[in-house]
Amino acid sequence: MSSDQALADFLDKAEDWAQDLAASLELLGKQPERSDVVDRVFQTTHNYKNSAILGFVRLAGLAHRMEDVLTLVRQQAIAVNQAVLDALYAGSDLIAEMVAAIGRGEGDGTVNLSGIIEELGRWAPPEQDPAGPAAPSANPPAAQAPAEAPAPAVVEAAPDPQLLGAFLEDAEDRSQKLASLLSALEPGAANREAIHETFRAAHDLKSASATAGFHLMSRLAHRMEDVFQKVRDGTLEIAEPVRDALLAGSDRIAEMVAAIGRGEAEGTVDTAAAIADLSAFAPAGPAGPGTPEAAPARPVMTEQSFGAFERAQVREAGDRGESLFRLTCEMDPAEEMRFARAYLLYTGLEDAVNIVAVDPPMDPAAVEPDAQGNVPDDRPYAHLTVWFTSSGDGSEALSAAAGTGTLKVERLEAADLLGSIPAGPSAAAEPGQRSTVERTTIRVDTRKLDTLWSLVAELVQAKARVSTISDRLGRGDDAENVRTGLSEAFDSLDKISGGMQQAMMETRMIPIRVIFEKFPRLVRDLSRKLHKAIDLETIGADTEIDRGIVEALSDPLMHLLRNAVDHGVEFPEDRVRHGKSERGRVRVSANQQGGRIVIEVSDDGRGIDVEAVRRKALAQGIPGAAGMDERELCELVFRPGFSTREIVSELSGRGVGMDVVATRVRTDLKGEVLLKSRAGAGTQVTLLLPLTLTIMRTLLVRGESHVFAVPLSGVETTTRVLNTEIRGAGERLACVWQDAEIPLFTIGGLLGRPSRRAEELSAVILRRGGSRACLVVDELLEEREIVIKPLDDLANHRRLFSGVSVREDGTLVFILDTSFVPEEGS
Amino acid sequence: MRTTILIADDLSFMRMIEKEILTERGYHVVGEAVDGLDAVEKYKRLRPDVVVMDITMPNMNGLEAMRRILQIDPGARIIMCSALGQQHLIVDAIKAGVKDFIVKPFKPDRMLAAIQKALAAPSEGAGA
């Protein structure tokens, strides 16, 4: 098996594991006492560990840490509480992220693990395993939470008696010096030099003991150093209790040195009291491991968010013949000084190339300690992105930045950045620069394959029959007999090809379960955050749908569910006050009705007050709002820009991003979305989707002597328009349909050719959401189911078509993309 | 010719451990300095290929010693040795031209990688 195959196989399996893990974690949340469930979580987690063989060491490391926690759960050393569950969930999320990144060809290095390793470490401190990822140290002087694992040290050097002797000599010297300096320090006296000396002695003890592997001593010395620092900075007075605490600390260190000298462990000396006393004067800062929250979200820079300054630099560099590159650096999770490492990289790059931008910003103030001596969080610098221009091939940057972490340099298309058409999110990467793992395999239910096999067998038979008829024809058989035979053969071929089309289509179908599985987690997290009690019901997870649709459907569905939980379902006390049960209910169902998939997301929450919508519509000056019925008012919710913050509460929040849901479903998926709601009783959103995106029901029309296909999902009706009814001139035409003026297009106009006008014209009324448009054609042909083939951009420079289909006679039918119909409000 | 290295640290234990790591990998530790002043003096005399310099030292700290050495020899390859919490000092050192830094307690690999990197970088001065 080649490594590519191994990778594809891993990605394939990882998909299964992710489902297992999500399901078993959910079960664990419900029945934490069941050891078989714990075993199942453990097993699925364990699977990821094998990925180390493929080189995904960070992924394997995270799985390993999760296993450590699960082992303790198994041993009943820790209970499965919310916090443990949260940590495991967070771990599984990051695993999924890493798998996704691997799938994109980025490897497992781009996902930040420092927070999760720390969090898992709180439950199961990592063992002294030099191969495992080291626990990231927090920023001093805030460090040293009890659960924090000692950083790996040069332990292999410590047993050397000569080295140990040297260490003990140094340590004894420093601790004696410390004690004598402390005794001499007059309370309140401003003896700066003496204070500096004591600080240095504590500092020496800290680093030497850490290097020698004596972590208790190092931690104690660290605490003392923190106190000295405050004294040195003038934020703490050397009062009697401070001096006592420091003296006690230096006594404990002297005892430890003596114990180690006798061959005993440093742990025989109890340092807890001394550390507690010292901490009273220099408490651990807020950025310590006690707050496992990651750094607050910071807007991340991308080349798309370049400002005028950056763009000007790129343009000028382009004029000089330089290319634009992006370097990303992923630091070793064990890197302690992330800012300094990033700064070193940056200064090195400055000499080698022309830097355009850097993210996060390279501001040395980012690491200046504040008045309390707390050092800011520099974790964001572990993921560094530098954009630069160079006349080389980018490798000069790699050598300048070597040794900083995992580096990647990509050449970017500056034209995409500077051109008027905004580049897609992935358009920047040049093909060949990245080795994205192509998913070339799909999994197909063997029953579906069996159906195909039997159809192929029938096809072979039908072929044999046709060849017999041909023979009979050659022998001069009766013409009537031959005709009957041919007709039978054709019938069976028709049946077989229809069956094969169906069977092939079904191989693209996957159960919608893959989306539904994400819901329990989403509802659980949201309801906990919002303090709501919500029961989620999912129905019809086995309903099968085209895999292309599933991928596009995930976000809109998640959005609808989030809306239902966040804005639909009321708080328990409000529900009780309105005579409802305390627990809200959210229901997601899927089923197939005819050739369509129907998905419903409903809640029993506060619903939408349609009169409030009407008031809002009137206030916004939307025409016809006064006379709208309930259905039309609900449709307004899908209008872009309709919902505003102040109506959010009134509307139970629907409308926030509902236009995005509608666009995705209607335009991308050729489906329909409907909303029904009753104030006080709940809301129901229904999505009607085609079974597949590869076969589409269309209306064939002729225009400009070509045949075009119009997706039926976008057709309201067909009609006739009199030439005299057309208003306007040139490219802006309109006509009246159902008492409203709607824009009018002609096929010729769309193709950029002048259109001929007959007296009476055939027309298709197109719909897009709530808006309508008229498309004038030469002739309406027929409704037809067609198989869509994608169209490359070259043939579609006007973006007029969504695809192409090949007719029986080999001619092409272009499928009109009806998004030229103006959206509401625009 | 073997690469020559000067170690500057006030702790004899640290010097010993560094020397052991470096000698094991075939580097020649030409001198050991016990403070910043000593480091500057020994640099003038020994002209080592690389200096591994602690920050916190008596008499003259590592930062000041580094600046003086770079004045004498702008091409000097200096690796700062720092403890956690001294990140702002390291940033100052980078501004002044230090080639790399390592964080105590360091792994031998880290130190060796830093030295190799410093040696690989082009030296802009005449002295190295």
Side-chain angles (χ1 to χ4, degrees), chain A residues 20 22 34 47 65 88 118 120 152 168 176 183 198 206 213 247 312 343 534 550 622 669 696 745 750 764:
Chain A
D20 279 357
R34 271 177 59 182
N47 288 330
R65 287 281 164 269
L88 291 172
E118 210 167 290
L120 291 168
L168 288 172
Q176 275 170 14
S183 315
T198 50
K206 181 186 79 170
L247 275 169
Y343 194 74
I534 291 172
V550 164
I622 291 170
L669 298 178
M696 189 193 268
F745 301 90
L750 290 172
V764 184

Side-chain angles (χ1 to χ4, degrees), chain A residues 1-23:
Chain A
M1 193 148 87
S2 79
S3 66
D4 275 1
Q5 270 176 325
L7 191 53
D9 187 54
F10 163 76
L11 287 170
D12 207 27
K13 291 204 175 100
E15 218 165 70
D16 278 351
W17 301 337
Q19 288 175 15
D20 279 357
L21 193 56

Side-chain angles (χ1 to χ4, degrees), chain A residues 516-530:
Chain A
F516 278 22
E517 270 168 350
K518 298 178 192 164
F519 293 166
R521 170 77 193 283
L522 181 75
V523 171
R524 171 186 174 273
D525 287 356
L526 269 179
S527 52
R528 266 187 67 205
K529 203 170 92 193
L530 299 165

Side-chain angles (χ1 to χ4, degrees), chain A residues 137 140 152 154 156-157 160 162-163 166-167 170 174 200 203-204 206-208 210-212 332 335-341 343-344 347 364 367 369 378 402, chain B residues 10-14 16-17 20-21 54 56-59 82-88 90-91 94-95 98-108 110 117:
Chain A
S137 313
V154 197
E156 58 266 47
D160 183 329
Q162 211 188 346
L163 277 175
F167 165 73
D170 282 340
R174 292 304 189 276
R200 214 169 47 223
H203 179 87
D204 280 351
K206 181 186 79 170
S207 50
T211 305
D332 189 322
E335 177 62 56
E336 290 115 331
M337 284 193 190
R338 284 161 286 240
F339 179 81
R341 190 60 65 196
Y343 194 74
L344 189 67
T347 50
V367 287
D378 69 348
Chain B
D10 56 326
L11 284 174
S12 66
F13 161 69
M14 290 301 296
M16 199 177 264
I17 229 173
E20 191 177 275
I21 292 168
D54 188 31
T56 319
M57 289 189 291
N59 297 328
S82 139
L84 274 171
Q86 296 182 323
Q87 183 154 227
H88 53 294
I90 288 292
V91 171
I94 294 169
K95 279 183 199 164
V98 79
K99 292 288 180 207
D100 204 349
F101 65 92
I102 45 180
V103 181
K104 287 194 270 188
F106 50 80
K107 288 182 175 173
R110 279 287 178 119
K117 189 180 151 198

Side-chain angles (χ1 to χ4, degrees), chain A residues 287-556:
Chain A
T291 50
E293 294 290 318
R298 184 180 52 82
V300 174
M301 187 177 215
T302 68
E303 49 275 12
Q304 268 74 39
S305 61
F306 273 2
F309 178 65
E310 286 86 6
R311 282 171 201 271
Q313 288 183 75
V314 174
R315 200 173 293 119
E316 281 165 23
D319 295 343
R320 289 196 303 269
E322 294 182 8
S323 307
L324 176 67
F325 296 88
R326 177 177 57 207
L327 176 141
T328 50
C329 170
E330 186 74 19
M331 283 177 202
D332 189 322
E335 177 62 56
E336 290 115 331
M337 284 193 190
R338 284 161 286 240
F339 179 81
R341 190 60 65 196
Y343 194 74
L344 189 67
L345 179 152
Y346 184 79
T347 50
L349 274 183
E350 266 183 333
D351 295 339
V353 297
N354 294 313
I355 294 179
V356 174
V358 59
D359 182 73
M362 210 39 68
D363 177 12
V367 287
E368 290 291 343
D370 64 13
Q372 278 74 49
N374 294 322
V375 181
D377 184 7
D378 69 348
R379 272 177 288 184
Y381 290 93
H383 318 273
L384 192 73
T385 311
V386 183
W387 289 268
F388 62 89
T389 61
S390 166
S391 50
D393 62 357
S395 60
E396 66 281 12
L398 277 182
S399 38
T404 315
T406 309
L407 298 170
K408 189 169 76 173
V409 171
E410 288 166 275
R411 186 195 293 266
L412 302 179
E413 273 315 318
D416 288 347
L417 202 62
L418 301 173
S420 51
I421 306 158
S426 60
E430 191 174 307
Q433 290 267 331
R434 310 160 57 135
S435 55
T436 301
V437 184
E438 197 70 48
R439 297 294 300 273
T440 49
T441 59
I442 62 166
R443 245 174 313 163
V444 179
D445 189 332
T446 49
R447 281 168 302 189
K448 290 175 182 172
L449 282 180
D450 288 345
T451 311
L452 265 174
W453 269 120
S454 63
L455 283 166
V456 168
E458 281 181 46
L459 184 67
V460 172
Q461 278 180 357
K463 184 189 139 207
R465 206 181 305 168
V466 173
S467 118
T468 317
I469 294 167
S470 155
D471 286 350
R472 276 156 57 189
L473 213 57
R475 287 197 307 268
D477 205 343
D478 178 53
E480 191 54 36
N481 273 347
V482 172
R483 191 177 300 122
T484 316
L486 265 179
S487 163
E488 279 171 14
F490 175 76
D491 282 351
S492 80
L493 277 173
D494 188 43
K495 201 186 103 219
I496 293 163
S497 72
M500 288 184 83
Q501 190 186 40
Q502 179 68 27
M504 275 316 291
M505 197 184 85
E506 279 180 11
T507 60
R508 285 185 55 86
M509 306 289 268
I510 53 173
I512 201 161
R513 179 183 304 284
V514 289
I515 307 182
F516 278 22
E517 270 168 350
K518 298 178 192 164
F519 293 166
R521 170 77 193 283
L522 181 75
V523 171
R524 171 186 174 273
D525 287 356
L526 269 179
S527 52
R528 266 187 67 205
K529 203 170 92 193
L530 299 165
H531 303 290
K532 289 180 179 179
I534 291 172
D535 293 322
L536 171 74
E537 189 184 357
T538 52
I539 298 156
D542 288 325
T543 308
E544 293 200 327
I545 192 164
D546 189 283
R547 64 179 64 238
I549 296 182
V550 164
E551 276 157 28
L553 200 57
S554 177
D555 286 346

Side-chain angles (χ1 to χ4, degrees), chain A residues 46 76 79 177 184 290 418 440 515 532 552 757 768 799 809:
Chain A
H46 185 79
Q76 301 189 334
K177 198 176 193 175
L418 301 173
T440 49
I515 307 182
K532 289 180 179 179
R757 290 191 189 182
R768 184 178 186 194
R799 300 191 187 277
D809 61 1

